[in-house]
Amino acid sequence: MLEILHREAIYLWYYFSLQMSQIFRYWVLGMVLGSAVSVFAKEHIHGLFRSLRGKRLGVLGIFIASALGIASPLCMYGTIPLAASFSESGMEDDWLAAFMMSSILLNPQLILYSIALGPTALAIRIASSFFCGAAAGLLIRWFYREKGFFNFTGFSAPASRDTDPRLLMRFLKNLGRNIKATGPMFLLGVALSALFQRYIPANVVAGLFGDNEGFGVLMAATIGVPLYACGGGTIPLLQAWLVDGMSMGSAAAFMITGPATKITNLGAVKIVLGAKRFALYWAFIILFALATGWLVNIIL
């Protein structure tokens, strides 16, 4: 019995160390550059979005807002108070929807993590996040242009935690918070990936997420809801699944439903939407994820 346990431990350590060797540098790069963006570029990015207010950009403003949402390094709980301050100053709801939706799905740090998935998956992740934000903005513009969609009552502009007057210390403190927030989930993701590689045959993964591509997209979109806890933590899993035969469309669906339905994000979104519009949010996410996944599989 001890011999079997020892052998399994060796196998698991092999998969764990192999995964770490493939992905660790992307995690480090993501944390370092993500903290740099947060400390040195965040105010500029948000200032660019604020500068759109009052300009007659029409639909073009939605696409600009979606791009700036991806560039913003804030999490959802930071984005909503920021959006509340934008709304209070007169920013249009369709632009806010585009900014918030793309910000939920992606940020500079997660972009760098996703390099580990390869150029195709990275491009699909960026494009799908951008168009998801734009689609949300367009829907708000078409159906809620004359009536407010968000309720930011009780929210105020977020207080920055990057206040140390010494730039280097400000960056290092932000990096420390980043490591503390993402490190445990990253290690858990690598550990789960090792377990999957050891005990779940590749043909099972291919059968669920690859061979039957229509069903695979639906399965990936579904498991993205309960499984997604941290962007960095799911990168090792996605990398292993793609190697084992997961279709790129299934990966795209997972990368949309995962962050959009992460429990902390859902709590924040429900506060500003209310029950009825929160249900619309759910329907939009699921339908967009399925449509994106099937379209990616058709194209590729």
Side-chain angles (χ1 to χ4, degrees), residues 15-27:
Y15 287 118
F16 182 89
S17 59
L18 180 63
Q19 187 78 4
M20 283 290 286
S21 69
Q22 293 173 341
I23 203 169
F24 181 74
R25 61 186 180 274
Y26 299 109
W27 178 63

Side-chain angles (χ1 to χ4, degrees), residues 74-159:
L74 292 181
C75 66
M76 192 70 256
Y77 267 100
T79 298
I80 285 181
L82 180 69
S85 69
F86 289 149
S87 179
E88 187 176 346
S89 65
M91 188 71 73
E92 299 177 30
D93 275 5
D94 51 351
W95 295 1
L96 286 174
F99 180 87
M100 293 168 64
M101 186 72 255
S102 62
S103 181
I104 289 176
L105 297 179
L106 199 56
N107 57 52
Q109 187 165 318
L110 190 51
I111 289 174
L112 293 167
Y113 290 160
S114 300
I115 294 174
L117 302 176
T120 301
L122 175 63
I124 289 171
R125 180 158 219 173
I126 294 172
S128 62
S129 298
F130 172 75
F131 286 112
C132 189
L138 289 171
L139 288 171
I140 299 302
R141 184 178 183 87
W142 291 333
F143 295 105
Y144 286 89
R145 189 169 186 177
E146 302 302 325
K147 46 188 175 180
F149 188 77
F150 299 106
N151 178 13
F152 291 111
T153 303
F155 286 96
S156 57

Side-chain angles (χ1 to χ4, degrees), residues 180-218:
K180 184 178 179 180
T182 65
M185 295 307 300
F186 172 74
L187 292 175
L188 176 61
V190 176
L192 288 174
S193 174
L195 288 170
F196 268 95
Q197 290 181 76
R198 174 58 182 157
Y199 298 115
I200 306 297
N203 65 311
V204 172
V205 175
L208 285 175
F209 303 124
D211 294 341
N212 187 350
E213 293 184 345
F215 177 73
V217 170
L218 178 61

Side-chain angles (χ1 to χ4, degrees), residues 11 15 30 130 135 159 161 179 224-225 234 266:
Y11 278 125
Y15 287 118
F130 172 75
R161 299 174 67 184
I179 293 172
V225 176
T234 55
L266 287 181

